[in-house]
């Protein structure tokens, strides 16, 4: 490993989903626990509250895990993009260009507008990382869309809104320049 080591940058889609979900589902979870405790204390049946409370708890855990396992990682051998259960490793030789642009640019074409949800709308003006894949490797572009999904892949670009875009850009450009 180099002196720079491995750096992880959280993907903001998952962080925002966790931030929104923890208040809504967390509130429902706490209300469910209070109702269960009240009904146990007053010796009433609790069976109606248990499934909803367990479901809210499971959703909270899923959002928390999604946030923990959604990142863009810089390693010595390349980039690792992980978004929940989807992941892909990209060697530096497969990168044609890395740039910083607002996220909304990726969703302007008519065929990409269907992927706009509230998280994309909120982050639209925020900077995102556009990782251009080498078009001379057409299998790589197809593989990226299959592995990461169409929301993160726009043509030959992998578009990821991350925290610390400027730091990421400095780290990656230094490594890509070192390869050429």
């Amino acid at each position: 490993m180099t002196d720079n080591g491995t750096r992880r940058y959280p993907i903001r889609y998952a962080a925002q989903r966790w931030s929104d979900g923890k208040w809504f589902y967390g509130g429902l979870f706490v209300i469910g626990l209070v109702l269960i405790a009240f009904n146990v204390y007053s010796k009433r049946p609790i069976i109606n509250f248990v499934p909803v409370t367990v479901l809210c708890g499971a959703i909270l855990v899923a959002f928390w895990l999604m946030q923990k396992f959604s990142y863009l990682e810089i390693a010595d051998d390349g980039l690792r993009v992980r978004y929940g259960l989807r992941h892909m490793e990209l060697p530096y030789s497969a990168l044609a260009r890395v740039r910083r642009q607002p996220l909304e640019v990726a969703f302007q074409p008519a065929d990409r507008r269907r992927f706009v949800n509230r998280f994309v709308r909120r982050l639209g003006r925020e900077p995102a990382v556009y990782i251009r894949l080498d078009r001379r490797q057409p299998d790589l572009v197809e593989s990226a869309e299959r592995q990461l999904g169409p929301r993160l892949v726009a043509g030959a670009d992998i578009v990821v809104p991350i925290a610390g875009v400027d730091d990421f850009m400095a780290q990656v450009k230094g490594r890509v320049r070192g390869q050429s």
Side-chain angles (χ1 to χ4, degrees):
M1 204 185 285
T2 65
D3 57 347
N4 291 338
T6 302
R7 302 274 321 250
R8 284 189 179 175
Y9 297 89
I11 295 177
R12 294 185 63 197
Y13 289 142
Q16 199 169 38
R17 183 170 281 130
W18 163 247
S19 179
D20 290 353
K22 73 181 175 186
W23 296 110
F24 180 73
Y25 292 106
L28 287 176
F29 184 74
V30 168
I31 290 170
L33 289 177
V34 168
L35 287 173
I36 289 172
F38 177 76
N39 283 344
V40 165
Y41 177 75
S42 58
K43 296 182 173 73
R44 294 184 186 166
I46 61 169
I47 194 70
N48 293 338
F49 302 112
V50 171
V52 173
T53 305
V54 169
L55 179 64
C56 288
I59 290 172
L60 276 173
V61 169
F63 284 168
W64 181 77
L65 288 172
M66 180 77 167
Q67 177 208 6
K68 292 296 176 193
F69 293 115
S70 295
Y71 53 83
L72 190 57
E73 183 177 64
I74 300 174
D76 290 337
D77 55 344
L79 295 178
R80 290 185 191 98
V81 182
R82 183 171 185 129
Y83 187 62
L85 298 176
R86 299 170 177 220
H87 64 281
M88 183 171 195
E89 295 192 22
L90 300 166
Y92 290 116
S93 61
L95 305 181
R97 182 173 66 180
V98 178
R99 66 187 191 282
R100 174 185 192 258
Q101 269 187 298
L103 180 63
E104 64 189 8
V105 172
F107 296 96
Q108 287 177 349
D111 62 329
R112 302 258 319 141
R113 288 188 192 136
R114 64 187 167 134
F115 297 115
V116 175
N117 58 13
R118 68 183 179 155
F119 301 111
V120 172
R121 269 186 247 115
R122 279 188 189 168
L123 298 172
R125 292 200 170 101
E126 299 291 323
V129 174
Y130 286 69
I131 302 167
R132 173 69 48 98
L133 300 175
D134 189 0
R135 289 182 191 251
R136 293 174 292 190
Q137 302 175 21
D139 294 341
L140 182 65
V141 175
E142 292 172 13
S143 175
E145 188 164 345
R146 189 174 52 254
Q147 289 177 348
L148 297 175
R151 184 178 310 278
L152 294 181
V153 180
D157 289 335
I158 296 176
V159 182
V160 186
I162 59 171
V165 173
D166 295 328
D167 183 43
F168 174 83
M169 294 296 293
Q171 294 283 328
V172 169
K173 286 192 177 189
R175 290 176 190 254
V176 172
R177 281 190 203 122
Q179 291 242 331
S180 41

